[in-house]
Structure formats: structure tokens, C-alpha cells
């Protein structure tokens, strides 16, 4: 079988996870090139990981390598142009979070997918572990009853040195703070289970870092069913943990981890009157990892179907994040669908906040 070809774009801290995940796949995949604007960094990365070629420019790498897959591990502000160029070149794209910084960019990516041979997949590996997939099946079959309440919290710790990297901590380049950069995985898993959110209220603060973006974000989201779930994200929390707890009519389902999980990190508690219902028999052992998501992408490609976590699947998540920031900026709840193309927040949170500031302080 002729190996598929992948290139890694951006050779920072997340790139090795992509290389390792690719080399765990049953389908043969060659990492044929590394791309980075920093020559020393890309050459060192290529040597360390046994990659034969490296480039300073994505367009050059696309033309020279004609890859099947492009893995975008670059800073968030570069994602949309890199996604569009890669799709136009005929590649499938696996893009680190956040996929993009605005609903306008998301619409552009969806349009590009329509015209392209490949798809753009956002890395949101918490969707893909065996336990998450099992829970999704239980929800789809309504075996747990209605969702009533819960929490979805990502409480991390980052020192100031973390943010002193040039592109971090700024709206224009990181595209968001703790809620987007850190909380997105848990939020996306929640919305992969229950995409029908209705409205969100929020508060944000920059409490312990010299940055533009928030280091604490807290909110409440209401779903069509009436369920109310607490959202939270932080980079000021010394005891680090990602926690999702979902209380259904018939059971509570919980997971606690840090950057991923395995089956043992999940807990299932049936309601007292449903204690005889043993529904938590998880098929498979995959955790929420890059390898699990890449395996799902390869399966979709082999079957000739749209992969999960392509741009359409990410819309509930990115729309919620946009609404979250608008709610925090205005102090008012924001309903789903309220941010149309004429809303400054449609162009991005930074644009929306600038416009709001101009209105308040003309």
C-alpha cells in the first residue's frame, strides 16, 4: 500500500503530538516535510523526527510535496489563510484549536470545503475517546433521559512567561483567552453531545497576567430542553483539572482529566431508582487523543465521507464562544443565531469589542 503523505506546519510544542499520532496509525503515513518560518527550529525538528525535507513557506511545501494531509500546528491567527491554501491545493487539513477566530472565517472555510477535494478538520480530540463515543450513543438513544444540569470547567495554571511568547495573550493573534485557548476542548465535547444550545451569559476577567485576553471566564448556557450548564475556564488555578459533569434524569456522567482522558477517568452514577440499569460498559480503550481523532479521519477518507469535526460540526462550538465573549462584553445574555453578518462580533471578538468600545466612548 502506497503511504499517504503528511506535512507538519509549525514545529512548536504541539507538533510532536501529531508526528507521534501519525506513526501509531494502521494506515501507512509518511511525514514528508516540516514547515516553519524559523529555519533553526524547523531543521532541528526535522532531524529529531526523521523528516527528510523542511521548508520556510507553506505554498512552497504544498507545491513540492503535494501532500494528502496538512497538519496545522501554527499560532491561531495563521489558521484561516493556511486552511484555505491547503484546501485549494487538494489536501485534507487537520488544524489545531481554535480552528479560526470568527464566524466570518468559519463561513469562508465551509465555502472552501464545498469547492475542494478534501475537508478541514479541527483538532478536538476529546470528542473521540471510547468513553465519549459511548456516551454520545447513549444520548442519541435517549437512554439517560433529559439533560438537566451540569458543569464544564477547564481550570489550568499558566505563568507570565507562558504568555510572553509574542503571539500569546493578544486578541489579534491568539483569538481569545482561557475560554477559547484552554476551555474549548471540554466545551466542544459538551456540544458534540448536546449541540442545541439556546443562550449564554458570561463574565470574563484578566486577574493575574499582563495580557489583553481573559485569564478567567465563567458563564451559563441554556439548552433547548431547558437544561442549564455552568461553563468555566481559567489559567490562574494551581490545581489543574478539566472536569465535565452532566446530570441527566437517569444518571450522572463525569470525567476528570487534564489534557486528555482514558476510560478510568470517567464515572457513571445511576439515579437511585435506576440503579439496576448498567449502561456504562464502554466498548474500546481509546482515550481522547490525537491518535484516536486521526484514526477517525483516516476511516472517513477511506469511506469517502465527510469526517466528524469538520467545519459544519464546529459551528455550535465557535458560535457559542463568539456569543460567550459578546455576552461578557455587553453584560447581556446572547441567544443563538443573534450574531448575524452585520454584527461586528461576526468578524471576530477583537472587532466586536473595538466597535462596542467606540459606541460607549465615542
Amino acid at each position: 500500500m502506497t503511504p499517504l503523505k503528511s506535512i507538519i506546519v509549525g514545529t512548536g510544542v504541539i507538533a510532536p503530538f501529531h508526528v507521534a499520532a501519525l506513526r501509531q496509525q494502521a494506515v501507512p503515513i509518511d511525514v514528508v516535510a516540516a514547515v516553519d518560518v524559523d529555519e533553526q527550529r524547523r531543521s532541528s525538528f526535522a532531524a529529531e523526527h526523521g523528516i527528510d525535507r523542511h521548508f520556510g513557506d507553506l505554498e512552497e511545501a504544498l507545491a513540492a510535496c503535494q501532500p494528502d494531509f496538512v497538519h496545522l500546528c501554527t499560532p491561531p491567527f495563521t489558521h484561516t489563510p493556511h486552511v484555505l491554501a491547503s484546501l485549494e491545493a487538494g489536501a485534507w487539513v487537520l488544524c489545531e484549536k481554535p480552528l479560526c477566530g470568527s464566524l466570518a472565517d468559519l463561513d469562508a472555510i465551509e465555502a472552501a470545503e464545498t469547492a475542494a477535494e478534501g475537508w478541514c478538520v479541527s483538532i478536538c480530540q476529546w470528542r473521540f475517546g471510547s468513553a465519549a463515543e459511548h456516551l454520545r450513543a447513549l444520548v442519541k438513544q435517549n437512554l439517560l433521559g433529559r439533560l438537566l444540569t451540569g458543569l464544564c470547567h477547564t481550570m489550568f495554571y499558566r505563568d507570565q512567561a507562558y504568555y510572553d511568547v509574542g503571539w500569546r495573550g493578544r486578541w489579534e493573534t491568539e483569538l481569545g483567552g482561557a475560554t477559547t485557548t484552554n476551555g474549548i476542548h471540554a466545551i466542544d465535547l459538551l456540544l458534540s453531545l448536546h449541540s442545541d444550545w439556546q443562550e449564554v451569559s458570561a463574565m470574563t476577567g484578566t486577574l493575574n497576567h499582563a495580557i489583553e485576553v481573559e485569564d478567567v471566564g465563567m458563564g451559563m448556557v441554556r439548552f433547548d430542553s431547558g437544561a442549564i450548564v455552568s461553563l468555566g475556564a481559567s489559567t490562574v488555578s494551581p490545581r489543574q483539572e478539566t472536569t465535565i459533569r452532566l446530570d441527566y434524569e437517569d444518571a450522572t456522567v463525569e470525567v476528570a482529566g487534564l489534557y486528555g482522558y482514558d476510560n478510568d477517568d470517567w464515572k457513571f452514577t445511576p439515579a437511585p431508582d435506576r440503579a439496576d440499569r448498567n449502561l456504562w460498559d464502554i466498548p474500546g480503550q481509546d482515550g481522547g487523543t490525537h491518535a484516536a481523532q486521526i484514526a477517525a479521519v483516516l476511516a472517513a477518507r477511506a469511506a469517502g465521507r465527510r469526517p466528524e469535526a469538520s467545519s459544519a460540526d464546529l459551528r455550535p462550538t465557535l458560535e457559542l464562544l463568539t456569543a460567550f465573549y459578546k455576552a461578557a462584553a455587553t453584560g447581556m445574555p446572547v441567544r443563538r443565531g443573534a450574531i448575524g453578518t452585520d454584527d461586528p462580533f461576526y468578524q471576530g471578538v477583537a472587532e466586536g469589542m473595538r466597535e462596542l468600545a467606540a459606541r460607549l466612548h465615542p
Side-chain angles (χ1 to χ4, degrees):
M1 183 177 180
T2 302
L4 298 167
K5 295 184 294 184
S6 285
I7 64 173
I8 306 293
V9 186
T11 57
V13 294
I14 201 65
F17 290 86
H18 285 252
V19 175
L22 287 166
R23 290 175 176 168
Q24 293 176 45
Q25 302 303 317
V27 176
I29 305 175
D30 285 343
V31 182
V32 298
V35 183
D36 199 300
V37 294
D38 186 312
E39 182 176 4
Q40 182 176 355
R41 188 167 58 202
R42 71 177 184 260
S43 61
S44 297
F45 180 86
E48 179 181 355
H49 295 281
I51 301 170
D52 291 335
R53 307 176 75 181
H54 56 87
F55 300 85
D57 178 74
L58 174 59
E59 297 278 2
E60 182 184 359
L62 291 170
C65 300
Q66 299 182 347
D68 299 293
F69 293 98
V70 174
H71 294 249
L72 296 180
C73 305
T74 50
F77 73 99
T78 69
H79 287 175
T80 297
H82 285 173
V83 167
L84 298 179
S86 301
L87 287 172
E88 186 177 357
W92 286 47
V93 184
L94 291 90
C95 181
E96 274 295 335
K97 50 78 179 173
L99 173 60
C100 58
S102 71
L103 295 174
D105 284 351
L106 182 62
D107 284 343
I109 291 170
E110 277 203 75
E113 282 180 317
T114 301
E117 297 177 15
W119 297 91
C120 173
V121 174
S122 178
I123 295 295
C124 46
Q125 67 269 22
W126 278 59
R127 287 183 179 225
F128 289 89
S130 299
E133 292 176 348
H134 179 58
L135 176 56
R136 194 172 298 115
L138 295 179
V139 170
K140 188 174 182 179
Q141 297 171 62
N142 196 33
L143 294 176
L144 302 177
R146 291 182 300 128
L147 177 66
L148 301 175
T149 190
L151 58 86
C152 179
H153 291 170
T154 302
M155 313 304 284
F156 286 173
Y157 182 84
R158 299 290 185 266
D159 61 16
Q160 184 61 42
Y162 170 85
Y163 286 110
D164 288 342
V165 175
W167 56 268
R168 288 196 178 118
R170 297 167 52 204
W171 288 111
E172 297 287 356
T173 49
E174 195 166 20
L175 309 182
T179 314
T180 291
T181 302
N182 307 106
I184 191 170
H185 286 304
I187 292 170
D188 181 75
L189 174 53
L190 169 65
L191 296 184
S192 77
L193 297 163
H194 301 281
S195 62
D196 59 336
W197 70 271
Q198 183 185 86
E199 69 174 9
V200 62
S201 58
M203 298 177 70
T204 60
T206 306
L207 306 182
N208 203 37
H209 296 99
I211 54 177
E212 293 179 355
V213 299
E214 88 283 2
D215 56 17
V216 174
M218 294 288 166
M220 301 294 290
V221 59
R222 188 189 303 274
F223 292 84
D224 285 351
S225 65
I228 301 172
V229 175
S230 168
L231 303 180
S234 160
T235 55
V236 302
S237 303
R239 189 181 75 80
Q240 301 189 87
E241 187 173 63
T242 300
T243 306
I244 301 173
R245 171 181 172 142
L246 299 175
D247 293 309
Y248 297 90
E249 290 178 294
D250 296 338
T252 294
V253 183
E254 302 166 82
V255 61
L258 189 57
Y259 301 125
Y261 59 79
D262 59 32
N263 288 356
D264 291 339
D265 295 318
W266 290 76
K267 184 178 179 181
F268 181 85
T269 307
D273 59 344
R274 298 298 182 102
D276 60 329
R277 300 189 71 202
N278 181 18
L279 297 172
W280 201 243
D281 184 12
I282 305 169
Q285 293 295 323
D286 288 331
T289 64
H290 283 72
Q293 180 166 4
I294 290 172
V297 171
L298 291 170
R301 186 180 187 276
R305 55 178 167 80
R306 180 176 69 85
E308 185 179 348
S310 60
S311 61
D313 295 324
L314 265 289
R315 185 168 293 277
T317 299
L318 294 177
E319 190 174 4
L320 175 63
L321 287 170
T322 304
F324 181 99
Y325 284 115
K326 182 174 182 179
T330 62
M332 299 291 291
V334 176
R335 293 187 63 84
R336 186 173 185 177
I339 300 176
T341 56
D342 59 343
D343 189 315
F345 278 87
Y346 173 80
Q347 299 296 336
V349 175
E351 180 66 26
M353 293 176 72
R354 277 196 298 268
E355 177 70 18
L356 184 63
R359 292 179 189 174
L360 294 175
H361 306 287

